[in-house]
Amino acid sequence: MSTAVAEGKTWGGGNQPLQASYGKMMMWFFIVSDALTFSGFLAAYGFSRFKFIDSWPIADEVFTHFPFLHGVDAPMYYVAFMTFVLIMSSVTMVLAVDAGHHMNKAKVTLYMFLTIIGGLIFVGSQAWEWNTFIKGDYGAIQTEGGNILQFGKYVEQDGEQVFKRVAVRDIAIPATSKERVQHERKNGLWYVSEGTLPSYTMDEVIHGLQANKDVLVRTQIINEAGEKTVLSREESINQIMKNGKTVVEGANLHVNEYGSPLFADFFFFITGFHGFHVFSGVVINIIIFFNVLLGTYERRGSYEMVEKVGLYWHFVDLVWVFVFTFFYLV
């Protein structure tokens, strides 16, 4: 039997499998392995959500912000905008690859540039969303058992009574006594230290709740109507006084004002991992873009490198569709 010999850019792996070059085959291997990694992350998210299905945060209540529109309730609008931008960048990448097949340097340059702009917009938007999620908006109370209690009141909207969140800062009554100093190793026991102190103490929140007669407490438990359970006035005060532990503002890897800390853990990990992929893709696209400007692929007589980075970019786009579905829609 004769041994296949590599000629030019065709892989000599035996009968030219899939009619693909060696570089393109390796990109496909990477994509398959990375797809399995993302599948594992999303499967873990799905199992965790199913386990805590009765107390999982509602996406429409978490992702309600839009840049430069403070105080406007716009659930999922900005996430939809981010998704649209990323999908359109995938379209421009397709056009860049097609232009490369026709050896049209000018169009490849244009569409690669538009792809890079779309990627930068998406990464910047994700950074803004992270910042907003970390800072939080309303604050909440964490109980001794780790559950989250939120504040709100009923207001009339379109002839119906609708529960609207109320921020902790709007009801807490600051104490007139001296503010407690954060305990650090240098001013106490050398082996003990505290994290950042919350803006308000439990006493300040309790006094504020008692003073605001129309404010109620909402638990993280979802009722049969698919909404968070709102307690009566008496139950609200009793719940805060008996089980209230500390004020929670925003979300991090330990606490989450929107509900289960697991939601924040998965959000940071999965969207951060995907964001790293997008950022890496933008960097690679910039390198390819400058190679196009320098005429590197014109001299090679092939724009296959654009096609290979295009495969990666489409994969990143497809993964976001699943992340978007799992986190924001389901």
Side-chain angles (χ1 to χ4, degrees):
M1 296 178 63
S2 61
T3 303
V5 180
E7 297 180 1
K9 294 187 176 181
T10 304
W11 182 38
N15 297 325
Q16 300 178 353
L18 303 181
Q19 295 294 320
S21 67
Y22 176 80
K24 196 180 297 183
M25 285 293 294
M26 292 305 101
M27 178 59 76
W28 274 113
F29 284 147
F30 168 76
I31 287 175
V32 171
S33 63
D34 215 23
L36 294 175
T37 303
F38 273 106
S39 298
F41 293 158
L42 292 176
Y45 172 84
F47 282 122
S48 298
R49 176 170 181 175
F50 181 77
K51 182 177 181 180
F52 301 102
I53 194 170
D54 61 339
S55 61
W56 206 251
I58 299 174
D60 283 349
E61 296 182 354
V62 178
F63 307 103
T64 60
H65 303 82
F66 205 96
F68 311 113
L69 296 179
H70 301 290
V72 176
D73 189 27
M76 310 297 291
Y77 287 12
Y78 197 59
V79 180
F81 168 75
M82 291 167 52
T83 304
F84 174 77
V85 168
L86 192 62
I87 291 176
M88 290 307 298
S89 72
S90 195
V91 172
T92 56
M93 179 58 81
V94 169
L95 296 175
V97 172
D98 181 67
H101 289 162
H102 293 85
M103 300 299 292
N104 190 329
K105 177 182 175 181
K107 286 190 175 181
V108 174
T109 303
L110 172 62
Y111 292 129
M112 284 294 295
F113 177 76
L114 293 176
T115 302
I116 292 170
I117 294 300
L120 289 174
I121 292 174
F122 181 86
V123 172
S125 298
Q126 201 164 48
W128 178 88
E129 186 182 45
W130 265 46
N131 181 63
T132 304
F133 187 69
I134 291 172
K135 287 184 177 180
D137 194 15
Y138 295 100
I141 300 298
Q142 186 180 42
T143 67
E144 296 290 344
N147 294 326
I148 292 297
L149 303 176
Q150 302 169 339
F151 297 107
K153 58 183 178 180
Y154 283 103
V155 297
E156 187 171 347
Q157 181 176 315
D158 298 328
E160 297 181 357
Q161 292 292 317
V162 179
F163 186 85
K164 291 291 185 180
R165 292 282 304 278
V166 174
V168 173
R169 61 180 176 274
D170 292 334
I171 65 172
I173 300 177
T176 56
S177 59
K178 183 179 179 180
E179 182 179 355
R180 186 169 73 87
V181 178
Q182 181 178 354
H183 178 74
E184 300 177 356
R185 294 181 181 181
K186 65 182 181 182
N187 60 10
L189 297 176
W190 66 270
Y191 55 86
V192 178
S193 63
E194 288 182 313
T196 304
L197 293 177
S199 301
Y200 304 98
T201 65
M202 283 304 305
D203 286 339
E204 293 172 337
V205 174
I206 292 173
H207 293 156
L209 178 61
Q210 292 173 336
N212 291 271
K213 305 298 184 182
D214 56 344
V215 174
L216 303 173
V217 166
R218 186 177 70 168
T219 71
Q220 65 182 40
I221 303 302
I222 300 177
N223 57 30
E224 296 179 354
E227 300 174 345
K228 300 294 184 179
T229 303
V230 179
L231 304 179
S232 66
R233 176 67 182 173
E234 182 179 355
E235 291 173 334
S236 298
I237 296 177
N238 289 337
Q239 187 68 254
I240 294 295
M241 294 183 68
K242 292 181 179 179
N243 298 322
K245 177 182 177 182
T246 185
V247 176
V248 175
E249 297 172 296
N252 52 48
L253 296 178
H254 303 288
V255 295
N256 176 17
E257 74 165 52
Y258 304 101
S260 173
L262 266 179
F263 177 85
D265 295 342
F266 278 113
F267 176 79
F268 288 128
F269 192 79
I270 295 180
T271 62
F273 192 58
H274 177 266
F276 174 75
H277 277 69
V278 177
F279 177 76
S280 301
V282 170
V283 173
I284 296 172
N285 281 339
I286 290 175
I287 295 173
I288 302 301
F289 172 74
F290 280 108
N291 281 337
V292 172
L293 288 178
L294 294 173
T296 302
Y297 308 123
E298 285 284 328
R299 292 190 294 272
R300 291 182 185 177
S302 170
Y303 280 88
E304 184 182 337
M305 187 60 72
V306 176
E307 186 173 355
K308 285 188 285 188
V309 75
L311 289 174
Y312 175 79
W313 195 255
H314 297 322
F315 166 71
V316 169
D317 190 0
L318 180 62
V319 167
W320 176 252
V321 172
F322 285 96
V323 174
F324 175 74
T325 303
F326 271 65
F327 267 101
Y328 303 99
L329 295 184
V330 177

